[in-house]
Amino acid sequence: MIGTAYIVDDDEAIRDALTWLFKSRMVASRAWHSAEAFLADWRNDLRGCLVLDVRMEGMSGLELFDFLSEQGSHMPVIFLSGHGDIPLAVAAVKKGAFDFVEKPFNDNELVDRVIQALAFDASRQERRAGQASLDARIGQLTPREREVMARILDGKYNKVIADELNIAMRTVEVHRARIFEKMGVKSAVELAQLLSGNL
């Protein structure tokens, strides 16, 4: 299971149809009749995909989308839009929504798109967890170890690093060993691969 489809639509028939449709394709789902009802249950750590009607009574889907964006939510959003709402849905995609699907929609195409959004969300969460782990490892390094690491990444030999930092070569070797241990790598090449694009 890679997450849940969260349905927010004020049309009961559409909510019921979508709930059944997702169940038939083994996709977990929950449904709300309004943006306000969804917000009462919403937490920023919810994993999954939001399937959101553009127009609803009370707070509109677009207003909910804007609000969630302001709160720092990264959950992918797929808008359900009537024909007249397509320009609004396109504008929402430009602002970061995952996609929009026009009503009446093709059942399987909609579920396929939701599954893609769920996979996208899961992979982004994995990347975030990996980045947090990497940040924590870098955070364990002393300022001197960071200086040595920067020079290791530049491909410099221990003797050159020792000269540049005005320390003994044996001290550089100790720093190098500690850096590799803290970063969980066995070589300068592994270290460079781990940190590529992160420094």
Side-chain angles (χ1 to χ4, degrees), residues 28-54:
S29 69
R30 289 181 63 193
W32 290 263
H33 66 278
S34 70
E36 291 85 351
F38 171 76
L39 281 176
D41 293 334
W42 175 75
R43 302 182 323 272
N44 211 346
D45 61 348
L46 283 181
R47 299 273 308 270
C49 166
L50 190 55
V51 180
L52 186 54
D53 191 18
V54 171

Side-chain angles (χ1 to χ4, degrees), residues 3-7 18-20 22-23 27-32:
T4 302
Y6 301 103
I7 305 158
L18 287 174
T19 301
W20 178 87
F22 290 134
K23 188 175 181 183
V27 175
S29 69
R30 289 181 63 193
W32 290 263

Side-chain angles (χ1 to χ4, degrees), residues 157-160 162-163 167-175:
Y157 294 109
N158 287 353
K159 184 175 185 330
V160 174
D163 290 345
I167 55 178
M169 199 161 96
R170 175 70 191 135
T171 306
V172 175
E173 288 166 3
V174 170
H175 283 316

Side-chain angles (χ1 to χ4, degrees), residues 152 176-188 191:
I152 292 170
R176 180 185 281 259
R178 284 192 184 140
I179 291 163
F180 287 2
E181 184 184 345
K182 288 178 182 179
M183 297 303 291
V185 297
K186 293 186 172 65
S187 69
L191 182 66

Side-chain angles (χ1 to χ4, degrees), residues 80-116:
L80 300 178
S81 63
H83 183 69
D85 298 326
I86 288 178
L88 294 175
V90 170
V93 169
K94 286 181 178 168
K95 282 162 62 176
F98 190 79
D99 203 354
F100 73 91
V101 176
E102 189 180 354
K103 298 176 183 175
F105 45 80
N106 175 297
D107 289 357
N108 280 319
E109 283 177 14
L110 173 61
V111 180
D112 289 345
R113 204 66 187 117
V114 166
I115 289 170
Q116 288 166 4

Side-chain angles (χ1 to χ4, degrees), residues 141-160:
L141 300 175
T142 66
R144 177 61 94 190
E145 286 167 351
R146 286 174 189 238
E147 288 179 329
V148 172
M149 183 171 75
R151 286 163 173 80
I152 292 170
L153 292 169
D154 285 340
K156 292 177 178 173
Y157 294 109
N158 287 353
K159 184 175 185 330
V160 174

